[in-house]
């Protein structure tokens, strides 16, 4: 086995990411592989909606029409291999489009398709067996549009072993596009769990594009040249350790803080990050700055995975419509809220005239007045605000009436009512997500290349169920109340990053200095986090610790109004949750005030 290092560039973090990533990595990244992640859970809903309108759709079209169209020749000439989950719910359609593009450009390219994630044929039997969703134990909905299992890295490794230059997958876990590459290149076995955990962590860092190179960084002002942000590269060794970097001369920032924020992103329990190939333990991960824009990552550990795939299904439940109006002048927030209430009251009366039922759900938010901060808002008296009104109804005609009535606000109610955010809104299908576990033996992943379909053997793993949640709310470090303290916002002591998994918000915190960690442990408890976010979080809050790099991870359940397309919030994915938590005041011993980030504080 060779001792070479493999350089992998993460060219896309989601469907809709900038088109600059892939060209930058091809031209200046000196990479062996390009990996693309397109499939957030919300994206599967969008792809399902697209396939409802046009059956030949259902994949990330930008991968073909933008990226491959302009770069395929350069990729082939440089010998770069590509792995992408752009196939969505129609991977064969995506591969056929690439093949047609290659033929048009006179290129010979071996393209493999990973199949086997489609669970739709199994739904009648699963419904009869009484399948229940993972979070709320609800039965399988009637109008399921798509159902796809999160496959792992083994089919990708098999495709590369067969000589594929481009691998197109449907639904797989985001990190699998990287892990499959590493298993192929280094010959890692399916039972080499520590290496698989490290490879999965490398994939996790790449999977969100610039989020590892300064994007969304807490200290955003320290990140240079946003316009030319560098996309991430991992240089991985045979034993699994790797270095995170970016192409030379690009903007952005690779530091232990930016990489650490991405390590924490959406991982849930860091001691049991569940993937089809390995159950990862990230609690002892260590980050070391090796030089400008180079961070070494070690310490992930792994154990055998469970015996189930997670399945993400989407289903239709009525319609939704979102409307916005700008309000200018004194008491703009109060005027905006009253406008929203008037629209709802008027349309409810009109619904009754037509014999329609009430809205299934409604939400009024006042953007610009810190409505997401709830009781912690400090700009309620802003002189400019946006009324955002989101509604759901079972009848499309009812929401068409709602959309028409928005315009009346321009002359009927609040002075200073102006722009409507792009014209009259329109109703769209409300597509929601439903997640459940499926025994691995129920699916048969395969690789299709050159007209031949080859099955892929998958180890069956252990238990099917998710691990139980540990007790929440325990203080692990006591802080002396006799010390003289000063109150500061949490952001002065910690970096923060938040994301989503369905209706769960994941908020990660990293102590800016090891000396601050005892303060975080003592004061940023589950009780305080739950109380600070009580206007948003309805379920329990659980805290986990990652001592390897002085981090805490908070998992907040029932926190996103259903999450994704089911949520009526302006922030359905919880991207702002960490920012809200970082505004929480903490008491800092005066003895720490001379240190780094706290030095300039007036005690």
């Amino acid at each position: 086995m060779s001792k070479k290092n493999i350089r992998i560039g993460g060219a896309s973090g989601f469907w809709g990411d900038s088109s600059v990533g892939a060209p930058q990595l091809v031209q200046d990244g000196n990479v062996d592989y390009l990996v693309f992640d397109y499939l957030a859970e919300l994206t599967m809903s969008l792809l399902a909606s697209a396939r409802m309108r046009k059956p030949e759709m259902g994949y990330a079209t930008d991968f073909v029409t933008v990226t491959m169209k302009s770069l395929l020749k350069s990729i082939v000439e440089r010998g770069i291999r590509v792995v992408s989950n752009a196939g969505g719910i129609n991977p064969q359609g995506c591969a056929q489009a690439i093949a047609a593009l290659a033929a048009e450009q006179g290129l010979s390219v071996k393209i493999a398709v990973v199949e086997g994630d489609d669970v739709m044929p199994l739904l009648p039997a699963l419904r009869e067996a009484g399948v229940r969703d993972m979070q709320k134990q609800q039965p399988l909905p009637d109008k399921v549009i798509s159902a796809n299992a999160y496959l792992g890295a083994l089919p990708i490794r098999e495709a590369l072993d067969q000589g594929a230059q481009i691998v197109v997958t449907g639904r797989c876990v985001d990190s699998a596009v990287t892990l499959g590459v590493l298993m192929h290149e280094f010959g890692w076995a399916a039972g080499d769990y520590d290496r698989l955990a490290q490879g999965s962590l490398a994939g996790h860092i790449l999977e969100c594009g610039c989020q590892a190179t300064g994007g969304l960084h807490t200290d955003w002002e320290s990140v240079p040249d946003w316009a030319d942000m560098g996309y991430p590269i991992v240089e991985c060794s045979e034993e699994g350790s790797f270095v995170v970097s970016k192409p030379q001369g690009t903007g952005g920032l690779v530091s232990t803080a930016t990489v650490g924020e991405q390590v924490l992103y959406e991982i849930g329990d860091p001691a049991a990050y569940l993937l089809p190939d390995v159950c990862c333990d990230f609690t002892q991960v260590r980050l070391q700055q090796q030089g400008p824009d180079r961070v070494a990552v070690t310490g992930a550990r792994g154990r055998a995975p469970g015996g189930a795939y997670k399945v993400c299904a989407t289903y239709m439940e009525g319609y939704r419509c979102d409307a916005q109006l700008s309000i200018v002048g004194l008491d703009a927030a109060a005027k905006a809220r009253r406008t929203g209430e008037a629209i709802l009251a008027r349309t409810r009366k009109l619904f009754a005239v037509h014999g329609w039922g009430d809205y299934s759900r409604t939400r009024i938010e006042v953007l610009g007045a810190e409505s997401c901060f709830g009781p912690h808002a400090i700009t309620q008296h802003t002189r400019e605000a946006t009324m955002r009104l989101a509604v759901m109804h079972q009848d499309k005609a009812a929401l068409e009436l709602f959309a028409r009535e928005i315009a009346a606000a321009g002359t009927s109610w609040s002075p200073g009512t102006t722009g409507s955010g792009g014209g009259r809104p329109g109703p769209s299908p409300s597509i929601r997500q439903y997640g459940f576990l499926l025994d691995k033996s129920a699916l048969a992943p395969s690789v299709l290349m050159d007209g031949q379909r080859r099955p892929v053997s998958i180890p069956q793993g252990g238990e099917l169920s998710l691990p139980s949640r540990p007790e929440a709310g325990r203080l692990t470090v006591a802080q002396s109340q006799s010390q003289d303290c000063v109150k500061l916002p949490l952001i002065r002591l910690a970096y923060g990053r938040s994301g989503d998994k369905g209706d769960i918000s994941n908020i990660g915190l990293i102590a800016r200095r090891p000396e601050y960690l005892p303060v975080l442990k003592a004061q940023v408890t589950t009780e305080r986090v739950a109380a600070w976010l009580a206007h948003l979080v309805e379920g329990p809050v659980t805290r986990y610790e990652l001592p390897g790099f002085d981090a805490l991870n908070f998992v907040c359940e029932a926190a996103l109004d259903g999450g994704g397309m089911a949520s009526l919030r302006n922030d359905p994915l919880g991207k702002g949750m960490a920012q809200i938590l970082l505004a929480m005041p903490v008491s800092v011993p005066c003895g720490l005030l001379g240190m780094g980030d706290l030095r300039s504080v007036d005690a």
Side-chain angles (χ1 to χ4, degrees):
M1 191 179 295
S2 69
K3 298 295 182 181
K4 62 186 177 183
N5 289 342
I6 297 299
R7 289 174 60 86
I8 306 172
S12 173
F14 62 99
W15 189 20
D17 202 348
S18 173
S19 60
V20 308
Q24 176 195 97
L25 291 165
V26 169
Q27 294 162 13
D28 302 315
N30 190 30
V31 296
D32 303 297
Y33 286 83
L34 282 181
V35 296
F36 296 78
D37 176 32
Y38 287 97
L39 300 183
E41 291 180 339
L42 177 60
T43 309
M44 296 300 285
S45 299
L46 297 173
L47 292 174
S49 180
R51 192 171 69 171
M52 287 174 62
R53 296 190 299 271
K54 295 181 70 174
E56 66 273 21
M57 290 291 99
Y59 63 87
T61 52
D62 291 0
F63 177 63
V64 180
T65 60
V66 177
T67 303
M68 288 294 103
K69 185 174 182 179
S70 62
L71 289 176
L72 186 56
K73 185 176 181 181
S74 295
I75 286 171
V76 171
E77 289 175 347
R78 295 170 187 246
I80 297 171
R81 301 172 80 176
V82 174
V83 182
S84 172
N85 63 9
I89 57 176
N90 186 10
Q92 286 197 34
C94 182
Q96 289 165 4
I98 297 170
L101 184 65
E104 180 183 310
Q105 297 184 6
L107 300 171
S108 176
V109 183
K110 292 179 73 69
I111 304 169
V113 177
V114 171
E115 300 179 320
D117 63 299
D118 186 3
V119 181
M120 289 292 284
L122 304 180
L123 292 188
L126 291 170
R127 183 175 281 110
E128 186 175 342
V131 69
R132 292 290 186 270
D133 87 294
M134 294 186 297
Q135 292 184 11
K136 300 179 181 178
Q137 295 300 301
Q138 294 177 341
L140 193 65
D142 292 330
K143 299 179 180 179
V144 176
I145 301 167
S146 68
N148 298 82
Y150 289 72
L151 299 183
L154 289 172
I156 295 170
R157 182 186 70 176
E158 177 64 25
L160 295 170
D161 287 350
Q162 292 177 23
Q165 295 164 279
I166 298 176
V167 181
V168 176
T169 80
R171 200 38 169 134
C172 64
V173 292
D174 300 343
S175 56
V177 294
T178 298
L179 180 58
V181 168
L182 296 173
M183 293 182 77
H184 161 72
E185 285 287 343
F186 296 130
W188 291 347
D192 196 354
Y193 297 127
D194 285 347
R195 286 189 174 95
L196 298 189
Q198 272 287 133
S200 296
L201 181 54
H204 177 67
I205 288 171
L206 288 180
E207 71 189 39
C208 291
C210 290
Q211 281 190 192
T213 56
L216 307 191
H217 183 40
T218 305
D219 292 354
W220 56 271
E221 72 282 1
S222 69
V223 180
D225 196 3
W226 281 8
D228 191 28
M229 288 283 283
Y231 276 68
I233 298 169
V234 295
E235 185 174 336
C236 193
S237 67
E238 183 182 337
E239 78 276 5
S241 64
F242 60 91
V243 173
V244 184
S245 64
K246 61 185 183 66
Q248 287 189 356
T250 59
L253 176 67
V254 180
S255 68
T256 55
T258 64
V259 173
E261 285 180 341
Q262 180 57 25
V263 171
L264 292 171
Y265 186 64
E266 300 178 348
I267 62 170
D269 180 353
Y273 184 56
L274 306 180
L275 297 171
D277 303 293
V278 59
C279 179
C280 303
D281 181 348
F282 295 154
T283 57
Q284 299 301 324
V285 165
R286 297 192 177 277
L287 310 175
Q288 181 181 10
Q289 196 79 42
Q290 284 199 336
D293 293 317
R294 289 182 62 83
V295 171
V297 183
T298 57
R301 296 291 180 263
R303 56 187 183 275
Y309 290 119
K310 177 184 174 183
V311 177
C312 177
T314 61
Y315 65 100
M316 182 173 171
E317 188 176 74
Y319 296 85
R320 66 174 293 156
C321 192
D322 300 351
Q324 291 189 4
L325 290 170
S326 297
I327 313 290
V328 177
L330 296 175
D331 298 318
K335 291 186 291 188
R337 181 160 292 279
R338 186 176 177 186
T339 297
E341 292 167 350
I343 292 170
L344 291 177
R346 173 176 286 183
T347 51
R348 281 180 167 128
K349 290 180 180 178
L350 292 172
F351 288 178
V353 171
H354 287 275
W356 296 322
D358 195 4
Y359 295 103
S360 54
R361 296 176 63 212
T362 67
R363 178 174 291 273
I364 300 173
E365 292 178 296
V366 183
L367 311 183
E370 297 188 358
S371 60
C372 63
F373 278 82
H376 317 300
I378 58 175
T379 62
Q380 300 96 319
H381 302 296
T382 180
R383 292 179 294 181
E384 180 180 67
T386 297
M387 183 280 298
R388 181 180 180 274
L389 178 55
V391 297
M392 288 185 178
H393 200 282
Q394 293 300 312
D395 197 318
K396 184 178 181 180
L399 294 192
E400 289 172 340
L401 185 152
F402 163 83
R404 291 195 299 271
E405 286 297 324
I406 299 299
T411 55
S412 296
W413 299 313
S414 169
T417 299
T418 178
S420 58
R424 179 185 292 179
S428 60
S430 174
I431 298 178
R432 308 187 68 171
Q433 297 163 6
Y434 178 96
F436 63 95
L437 298 178
L438 178 67
D439 193 311
K440 286 180 177 177
S441 64
L443 297 178
S446 60
V447 173
L448 176 64
M449 190 170 71
D450 296 333
Q452 303 227 346
R453 184 173 283 106
R454 295 177 176 84
V456 179
S457 177
I458 305 294
Q460 294 308 299
E463 296 295 324
L464 298 183
S465 60
L466 295 170
S468 59
R469 185 177 65 235
E471 280 190 50
R474 303 283 185 187
L475 293 182
T476 56
V477 174
Q479 181 175 325
S480 171
Q481 297 301 311
S482 63
Q483 297 184 66
D484 291 330
C485 294
V486 63
K487 284 198 172 182
L488 296 173
L490 177 58
I491 196 171
R492 300 301 297 272
L493 279 77
Y495 304 103
R497 170 77 57 85
S498 56
D500 71 303
K501 287 294 180 187
D503 199 19
I504 294 174
S505 177
N506 188 116
I507 307 173
L509 300 177
I510 307 171
R512 290 178 178 271
R513 291 172 174 267
E515 296 86 353
Y516 302 163
L517 187 60
V519 177
L520 300 185
K521 284 184 176 182
Q523 294 199 44
V524 190
T525 63
T526 54
E527 294 91 347
R528 282 208 69 198
V529 171
W532 187 259
L533 300 177
H535 60 291
L536 298 172
V537 177
E538 298 177 1
V541 175
T542 306
R543 188 177 83 176
Y544 301 95
E545 298 184 13
L546 294 88
F549 61 106
D550 303 323
L552 303 174
N553 200 49
F554 292 86
V555 175
C556 309
E557 301 180 42
L560 300 173
D561 190 42
M565 294 186 74
S567 177
L568 294 183
R569 289 186 191 165
N570 185 56
D571 183 14
L573 305 181
K575 298 295 187 181
M577 295 282 275
Q579 295 297 305
I580 297 169
L581 182 59
L582 288 170
M584 185 177 75
V586 292
S587 294
V588 180
C590 291
L592 293 179
L593 291 181
M595 291 186 171
D597 307 285
L598 307 182
R599 185 176 297 121
S600 61
V601 173
D602 182 3

